[in-house]
Amino acid sequence: MPFELSSSTNIKLSLYYKRDEGAKMSIRDVNETLQKLLGDGPALALPHDIDGIIKGLLFVRQKYVQLVASRCRRNLPQKSTPEEWHQVAAFLHAMWNLELIDPNMKKSARLDVALEIIFRPEHKFPPDYARIAKIIYDKLEDLRWGAGEEEDEEEVAEVEDLGSTTSSKSRTTKATKTPLTDSSYPADDDPIYGIGGIMSHILRVQGHKIWTYRLHPGWIPRNAKVWGHNGLTNGRCWPNRMALLRDGGHGARMGGIHGNSKVGAFSIVVSGSYAGMDRDLGDTLYYSGSNSHENDSPWPFVSDATKSLEVSLRTGNPIRVFRTHRSEWTYAPQAGLRYDGLYTIADSSTEKNSKGGAYWRFMLTRNGGQESIKIDAPAQELVRLFSRVEEGYTRKR
């Protein structure tokens, strides 16, 4: 067969999966089931470009999935060889571990049909195969197979995080989404936006009077609805919020709080927006709820994001804390955003702003057992790279 087999895999789609979806299996359940189906055989080693990925999966679908399905449908699963069953398992394993998705996976290659063949009862696949296929299918449908967001408008990622003297004040306006063309994408070898660059998988697009940042339509951002470090290391830095969203640090493009009133907060960004209200002392942090500076009512304005902090006070779940260069702390990063570790909400109080309005303020303390905050990050070389983000990139030809 034209595609080499290897044991190396990635886990982007699996990180986007949550237990309460699909067949109610945890990520560990899915991984263990796939490993059982694969046995000692190798996984598919697909190319890293989207065209190669589609061609590789299409080949397995046409040669193995459809063949095994036809035998299962006729109650003859035993007619399929161990190698043929292994290829079906390898197909599911590759789909579960997708790093990039593209609408052509559905439109042209009809990989959605391949998954349906496996999980629909009339095709009589064994239960483990059917359950995994249904989970993958549901998640890719949720992600619209990489077709992008349905909204007509897109929030502008904050550009001031770069620390540039030319950056404008934070704007919360929305920009009309600009249609993407081939020339919208960076060249693979661009040092900032190309493969392996600090802005890889992110596009810089001219909107209405302003530049906007958006994720590559086929890229699946890491799931940020996770408590704990989520794979991030203390002191890691990013040029702007879109890069942070891409890596699963903070799931909100603009808001300083990421979470909801049902489960609590996952992360916050300390940006110095509420000067005179927030207090940043490093290991101890006093953080105000959303829109606290605007309220003129004697009753606090309590948004869903603010409620998430109140829930976290009750649950004690850790919260990822990111600081921008605009944080008032003496040792805030020189540019961009920096991950300063896990904090827990220890207390809350009702305060008054300059308008006499009430607001909630939360006291967070840094959890023990962590390395000290990396006050020297980012290094000067990284600061120089951050300063080049606003220059844009060499367009793909």
Side-chain angles (χ1 to χ4, degrees):
M1 68 187 281
F3 295 96
E4 181 185 69
L5 293 173
S6 167
S7 59
S8 61
T9 59
N10 296 301
I11 54 173
K12 291 295 179 185
L13 182 61
S14 63
L15 288 173
Y16 208 88
Y17 170 74
K18 300 189 289 291
R19 185 184 181 93
D20 60 350
E21 298 172 347
K24 310 295 184 183
M25 297 175 71
S26 68
I27 292 176
R28 181 177 180 179
D29 292 336
V30 176
N31 286 331
E32 288 180 351
T33 301
L34 281 169
Q35 192 57 54
K36 180 180 72 174
L37 296 178
L38 275 176
D40 296 328
L44 287 175
L46 297 170
H48 294 293
D49 63 289
I50 195 66
D51 289 338
I53 291 171
I54 292 175
K55 289 177 182 177
L57 292 171
L58 180 60
F59 174 84
V60 179
R61 173 207 158 183
Q62 292 174 334
K63 183 169 183 179
Y64 296 103
V65 175
Q66 293 176 186
L67 175 63
V68 174
S70 67
R71 292 170 179 159
C72 287
R73 198 164 48 244
R74 291 181 285 127
N75 294 315
L76 296 171
Q78 69 278 8
K79 292 290 186 180
S80 295
T81 66
E83 170 62 15
E84 290 166 342
W85 278 109
H86 173 76
Q87 291 297 331
V88 175
F91 173 82
L92 292 174
H93 185 270
M95 294 291 288
W96 172 248
N97 288 298
L98 282 175
E99 285 192 1
L100 290 172
I101 54 176
D102 186 275
N104 282 323
M105 288 180 167
K106 181 174 183 178
K107 292 179 181 177
S108 302
R110 301 312 308 272
L111 297 180
D112 59 323
V113 174
L115 292 169
E116 287 189 63
I117 287 173
I118 298 173
F119 72 72
R120 288 196 177 278
E122 59 266 30
H123 295 292
K124 303 176 183 176
F125 267 81
D128 282 345
Y129 289 84
R131 293 171 70 197
I132 300 297
K134 185 65 165 64
I135 286 172
I136 297 170
Y137 176 88
D138 287 345
K139 178 46 60 184
L140 289 171
E141 284 290 304
D142 287 346
L143 295 170
R144 303 181 68 237
W145 293 81
E149 299 176 351
E150 294 179 335
E151 292 83 356
D152 292 327
E153 295 183 322
E154 176 181 2
E155 287 186 324
V156 180
E158 291 183 282
V159 297
E160 85 280 2
D161 286 340
L162 297 167
S164 167
T165 56
T166 61
S167 297
S168 62
K169 186 179 180 181
S170 173
R171 291 167 291 190
T172 57
T173 56
K174 289 188 176 183
T176 302
K177 183 172 285 189
T178 305
L180 297 177
T181 64
D182 289 343
S183 62
S184 301
Y185 297 87
D188 290 344
D189 59 355
D190 186 275
I192 305 297
Y193 289 82
I195 297 174
I198 57 174
M199 290 289 284
S200 60
H201 308 296
I202 296 174
L203 308 181
R204 187 171 186 263
V205 182
Q206 177 70 63
H208 179 61
K209 297 183 180 180
I210 56 177
W211 286 93
T212 68
Y213 297 94
R214 67 175 73 164
L215 289 174
H216 186 293
W219 181 255
I220 306 171
R222 186 168 189 160
N223 181 19
K225 294 180 179 179
V226 175
W227 286 290
H229 296 296
N230 201 20
L232 307 180
T233 55
N234 182 38
R236 182 173 175 180
C237 298
W238 296 263
N240 62 20
R241 299 240 188 145
M242 190 59 72
L244 182 60
L245 183 147
R246 172 199 63 196
D247 294 339
H250 188 69
R253 296 183 182 183
M254 294 291 292
I257 305 168
H258 174 51
N260 62 64
S261 59
K262 293 182 179 179
V263 299
F266 301 102
S267 60
I268 63 171
V269 172
V270 184
S271 61
S273 299
Y274 296 166
M277 300 168 64
D278 291 350
R279 291 179 62 202
D280 190 351
L281 307 176
D283 286 346
T284 301
L285 175 65
Y286 295 87
Y287 194 83
S288 304
S290 304
N291 298 313
S292 296
H293 60 312
E294 297 290 345
N295 188 39
D296 57 7
S297 167
W299 303 104
F301 171 77
V302 184
S303 66
D304 191 71
T306 302
K307 288 179 183 177
S308 74
L309 295 177
E310 195 274 333
V311 171
S312 291
L313 172 61
R314 297 200 310 265
T315 64
N317 286 329
I319 296 173
R320 293 185 295 277
V321 170
F322 301 89
R323 285 183 172 88
T324 77
H325 71 283
R326 293 183 183 275
S327 168
E328 65 177 18
W329 190 38
T330 304
Y331 300 107
Q334 182 179 346
L337 301 99
R338 183 183 67 210
Y339 179 45
D340 285 345
L342 298 176
Y343 288 63
T344 300
I345 299 180
D347 199 2
S348 68
S349 61
T350 302
E351 308 291 338
K352 296 285 186 180
N353 61 25
S354 60
K355 297 181 179 181
Y359 68 94
W360 281 359
R361 189 170 73 173
F362 300 84
M363 183 180 78
L364 294 87
T365 57
R366 196 166 187 265
N367 293 3
Q370 303 180 90
E371 290 184 298
S372 299
I373 296 174
K374 304 290 187 180
I375 60 175
D376 294 330
Q380 287 304 307
E381 177 58 30
L382 198 53
V383 172
R384 284 192 287 271
L385 290 177
F386 286 1
S387 69
R388 296 176 58 187
V389 168
E390 290 187 64
E391 297 173 6
Y393 45 77
T394 305
R395 304 281 168 168
K396 180 171 285 190
R397 300 184 182 277

